[in-house]
Amino acid sequence: QVELVESGGGLVQAGGSLRLSCAASGRTFSSYAMGWFRQTPGKEREFVGLINWGGYMTRYADSVKGRFTISRDNAKNTVYLQMNSLKPEDTAVYYCAADRGVVLTSRLEDYDYWGQGTQVTVSS
């Protein structure tokens, strides 16, 4: 069992930056790939980005590529989402998730554990 807790959400102006954190507890954090997803009311949860267990491979949705950066600190059991050049359309609840699979995936259904989410609001 793995527990994930997101933090760092808040209100920021368009063009600003925000860093989200996801703290993990339970089984060995370093053995999991980690993904970030986001969701707004009335819309399906969508993939944002992921990072592999070693932290040297990342993948991003086209909508955030070049603006968002995922990193992880396995010693602290924490994964980060650095968000720069934020846009109003980035407004959403952001979730982190852990994947035990051997193949990196952006599919929601492939992730085994989820956090409770943290709200990010970008004003225009």
Side-chain angles (χ1 to χ4, degrees):
Q1 182 69 28
V2 174
E3 295 182 10
L4 306 173
V5 179
E6 301 96 335
S7 63
L11 176 64
V12 64
Q13 293 183 338
S17 298
L18 204 62
R19 188 179 77 160
L20 306 183
S21 298
C22 176
S25 62
R27 293 189 176 274
T28 305
F29 172 75
S30 61
S31 66
Y32 294 87
M34 299 295 296
W36 283 97
F37 297 80
R38 65 187 183 186
Q39 186 172 25
T40 58
K43 298 175 62 178
E44 296 183 357
R45 192 169 301 183
E46 65 176 350
F47 170 75
V48 174
L50 60 81
I51 186 167
N52 78 324
W53 65 268
Y56 55 84
M57 293 180 61
T58 56
R59 177 182 172 186
Y60 302 94
D62 289 341
S63 59
V64 306
K65 190 175 299 182
R67 299 187 298 119
F68 291 11
T69 302
I70 298 175
S71 61
R72 67 191 298 167
D73 187 339
N74 289 343
K76 297 181 178 179
N77 284 356
T78 302
V79 63
Y80 304 95
L81 180 65
Q82 178 66 49
M83 304 183 293
N84 299 324
S85 301
L86 283 163
K87 305 175 181 179
E89 52 261 43
D90 294 320
T91 295
V93 176
Y94 283 71
Y95 300 87
C96 68
D99 175 27
R100 298 180 297 170
V102 297
V103 178
L104 297 179
T105 177
S106 60
R107 288 158 42 94
L108 281 71
E109 58 266 36
D110 290 335
Y111 283 78
D112 302 292
Y113 306 101
W114 292 84
Q116 84 289 348
T118 185
Q119 178 70 49
V120 172
T121 302
V122 184
S123 62
S124 60

